[in-house]
Coordinates of all heavy atoms in Angstrom, one line a residue:
G1 N 0.0 -34.1 132.6 CA 0.0 -33.3 133.8 C 1.2 -32.5 134.0 O 1.7 -31.9 133.1
S2 N 1.8 -32.5 135.2 CA 3.0 -31.8 135.5 C 4.3 -32.5 135.0 O 5.4 -31.8 135.0 CB 3.1 -31.5 137.0 OG 2.1 -30.6 137.4
A3 N 4.2 -33.7 134.7 CA 5.4 -34.5 134.4 C 6.3 -33.9 133.3 O 7.5 -33.7 133.5 CB 5.1 -35.9 134.0
P4 N 5.7 -33.4 132.2 CA 6.6 -32.8 131.2 C 7.3 -31.6 131.7 O 8.5 -31.3 131.4 CB 5.6 -32.5 130.0 CG 4.5 -33.5 130.2 CD 4.4 -33.6 131.7
N5 N 6.6 -30.7 132.4 CA 7.2 -29.5 133.0 C 8.3 -29.8 134.0 O 9.4 -29.2 134.0 CB 6.1 -28.6 133.6 CG 6.7 -27.3 134.0 OD1 7.3 -26.6 133.2 ND2 6.5 -27.0 135.3
I6 N 8.0 -30.8 134.8 CA 9.0 -31.2 135.8 C 10.3 -31.8 135.1 O 11.4 -31.4 135.5 CB 8.4 -32.3 136.8 CG1 7.3 -31.7 137.6 CG2 9.5 -32.9 137.7 CD1 6.5 -32.8 138.4
A7 N 10.1 -32.7 134.2 CA 11.2 -33.3 133.5 C 12.0 -32.3 132.6 O 13.2 -32.5 132.4 CB 10.7 -34.4 132.6
A8 N 11.4 -31.3 132.2 CA 12.1 -30.3 131.3 C 13.3 -29.7 132.0 O 14.3 -29.5 131.4 CB 11.1 -29.2 130.8
S9 N 13.1 -29.4 133.3 CA 14.2 -28.8 134.1 C 15.4 -29.8 134.2 O 16.5 -29.4 134.2 CB 13.7 -28.3 135.4 OG 13.3 -29.4 136.2
W10 N 15.0 -31.1 134.5 CA 16.1 -32.1 134.6 C 16.8 -32.2 133.3 O 18.1 -32.3 133.3 CB 15.5 -33.5 134.9 CG 14.6 -33.5 136.1 CD1 14.6 -32.7 137.2 CD2 13.5 -34.5 136.3 NE1 13.6 -33.1 138.0 CE2 12.9 -34.2 137.5 CE3 13.0 -35.5 135.5 CZ2 11.9 -34.9 138.0 CZ3 12.0 -36.3 136.0 CH2 11.4 -36.0 137.2
I11 N 16.1 -32.3 132.2 CA 16.7 -32.5 130.9 C 17.6 -31.3 130.5 O 18.7 -31.5 130.0 CB 15.6 -32.7 129.8 CG1 14.9 -34.0 130.0 CG2 16.2 -32.7 128.4 CD1 13.7 -34.2 129.2
D12 N 17.1 -30.1 130.8 CA 17.9 -28.9 130.5 C 19.3 -29.0 131.3 O 20.3 -28.8 130.7 CB 17.1 -27.7 130.9 CG 17.9 -26.4 130.7 OD1 18.4 -26.2 129.6 OD2 18.0 -25.6 131.6
S13 N 19.3 -29.2 132.6 CA 20.5 -29.2 133.3 C 21.4 -30.4 133.0 O 22.6 -30.4 133.1 CB 20.2 -29.2 134.8 OG 19.3 -30.3 135.2
F14 N 20.7 -31.6 132.7 CA 21.5 -32.8 132.3 C 22.3 -32.6 131.0 O 23.5 -33.0 130.9 CB 20.6 -34.0 132.2 CG 21.3 -35.3 132.1 CD1 21.9 -35.9 133.2 CD2 21.4 -35.9 130.9 CE1 22.5 -37.1 133.1 CE2 22.0 -37.1 130.7 CZ 22.6 -37.7 131.8
L15 N 21.7 -32.0 130.0 CA 22.3 -31.8 128.8 C 23.5 -30.8 128.8 O 24.4 -30.9 128.0 CB 21.3 -31.3 127.7 CG 20.3 -32.4 127.2 CD1 19.3 -31.7 126.3 CD2 21.0 -33.5 126.5
K16 N 23.4 -29.9 129.8 CA 24.6 -29.0 130.0 C 25.8 -29.8 130.6 O 26.9 -29.4 130.4 CB 24.2 -27.9 131.0 CG 23.2 -26.9 130.4 CD 22.7 -25.9 131.4 CE 21.7 -25.0 130.8 NZ 21.1 -24.0 131.8
Q17 N 25.5 -30.9 131.3 CA 26.6 -31.7 131.8 C 27.0 -32.8 130.9 O 28.2 -33.2 130.8 CB 26.1 -32.3 133.2 CG 27.2 -33.0 134.0 CD 26.7 -33.5 135.3 OE1 25.6 -33.1 135.7 NE2 27.5 -34.2 136.0
Y18 N 26.0 -33.4 130.1 CA 26.3 -34.5 129.2 C 25.8 -34.0 127.8 O 24.7 -34.3 127.4 CB 25.6 -35.7 129.6 CG 26.1 -36.3 131.0 CD1 25.4 -35.9 132.1 CD2 27.1 -37.2 131.0 CE1 25.9 -36.4 133.4 CE2 27.5 -37.7 132.3 CZ 26.9 -37.3 133.4 OH 27.3 -37.8 134.6
D19 N 26.7 -33.2 127.1 CA 26.2 -32.6 125.9 C 26.1 -33.6 124.7 O 25.6 -33.3 123.6 CB 27.2 -31.5 125.5 CG 28.6 -31.9 125.4 OD1 28.9 -33.1 125.6 OD2 29.5 -31.1 125.0
K20 N 26.6 -34.9 124.9 CA 26.5 -35.9 123.9 C 25.3 -36.7 124.0 O 25.0 -37.7 123.2 CB 27.7 -36.7 123.8 CG 29.0 -36.0 123.4 CD 30.2 -36.9 123.3 CE 31.5 -36.1 123.0 NZ 32.7 -37.0 122.9
A21 N 24.5 -36.5 125.1 CA 23.3 -37.3 125.3 C 22.2 -36.8 124.4 O 22.1 -35.7 123.9 CB 22.9 -37.2 126.8
E22 N 21.2 -37.8 124.2 CA 20.0 -37.5 123.4 C 18.8 -38.1 124.1 O 18.9 -39.2 124.7 CB 20.2 -38.1 122.0 CG 19.1 -37.9 121.0 CD 19.3 -38.6 119.7 OE1 20.4 -38.9 119.4 OE2 18.3 -38.9 119.0
F23 N 17.7 -37.4 124.0 CA 16.5 -37.9 124.7 C 15.4 -38.3 123.6 O 15.2 -37.7 122.6 CB 15.9 -36.8 125.6 CG 16.6 -36.7 126.9 CD1 17.8 -35.9 127.0 CD2 16.2 -37.3 128.0 CE1 18.4 -35.8 128.2 CE2 16.9 -37.2 129.2 CZ 18.0 -36.4 129.3
S24 N 14.7 -39.4 124.0 CA 13.5 -39.8 123.2 C 12.4 -39.8 124.2 O 12.4 -40.6 125.2 CB 13.7 -41.2 122.6 OG 12.5 -41.7 122.0
I25 N 11.4 -39.0 124.0 CA 10.3 -38.8 125.0 C 9.0 -39.4 124.4 O 8.6 -39.1 123.3 CB 10.1 -37.4 125.4 CG1 11.4 -36.9 126.1 CG2 8.9 -37.2 126.3 CD1 11.4 -35.4 126.4
I26 N 8.3 -40.2 125.2 CA 7.0 -40.8 124.8 C 6.0 -40.4 125.8 O 6.2 -40.4 127.0 CB 7.1 -42.3 124.7 CG1 8.1 -42.7 123.6 CG2 5.8 -43.0 124.5 CD1 8.3 -44.2 123.5
D27 N 4.8 -40.0 125.4 CA 3.7 -39.6 126.2 C 2.8 -40.8 126.4 O 2.7 -41.7 125.6 CB 2.9 -38.4 125.7 CG 3.8 -37.2 125.6 OD1 4.6 -37.0 126.5 OD2 3.7 -36.5 124.5
G28 N 2.0 -40.8 127.5 CA 1.0 -41.8 127.7 C 0.4 -41.7 129.1 O 1.0 -41.0 129.9
N29 N -0.6 -42.5 129.4 CA -1.1 -42.6 130.8 C -0.2 -43.5 131.5 O 0.7 -44.2 131.0 CB -2.5 -43.0 130.9 CG -2.8 -44.4 130.3 OD1 -2.1 -45.3 130.7 ND2 -3.8 -44.5 129.5
S30 N -0.3 -43.6 132.8 CA 0.6 -44.3 133.7 C 0.6 -45.8 133.3 O 1.7 -46.4 133.2 CB 0.2 -44.2 135.2 OG 0.4 -42.8 135.6
D31 N -0.5 -46.4 133.1 CA -0.6 -47.8 132.8 C 0.1 -48.1 131.4 O 0.8 -49.1 131.3 CB -2.0 -48.3 132.7 CG -2.6 -48.4 134.1 OD1 -1.9 -48.5 135.1 OD2 -3.9 -48.3 134.2
E32 N -0.1 -47.2 130.5 CA 0.5 -47.4 129.2 C 2.1 -47.3 129.3 O 2.8 -48.1 128.7 CB 0.1 -46.3 128.2 CG -1.4 -46.5 127.7 CD -1.9 -45.3 127.0 OE1 -1.3 -44.2 127.0 OE2 -3.0 -45.5 126.3
L33 N 2.5 -46.4 130.1 CA 4.0 -46.2 130.3 C 4.6 -47.4 131.0 O 5.7 -47.8 130.6 CB 4.3 -44.9 131.0 CG 3.9 -43.6 130.3 CD1 4.2 -42.4 131.1 CD2 4.6 -43.5 128.9

């Protein structure tokens, strides 16, 4: 749904502040997550 698009803006701005951070993203439905 909208979650990946919403999270993309957070990740973009966060990496500008913490350039040594790394993300691991997993998809799934709510119950799976």
Side-chain angles (χ1 to χ4, degrees):
S2 289
N5 185 55
I6 294 172
S9 62
W10 306 333
I11 294 171
D12 178 50
S13 55
F14 188 78
L15 287 174
K16 290 176 181 176
Q17 187 175 352
Y18 297 90
D19 57 357
K20 294 183 180 179
E22 179 184 340
F23 282 84
S24 173
I25 298 175
I26 294 178
D27 298 322
N29 63 50
S30 294
D31 290 335
E32 289 171 344
L33 295 180

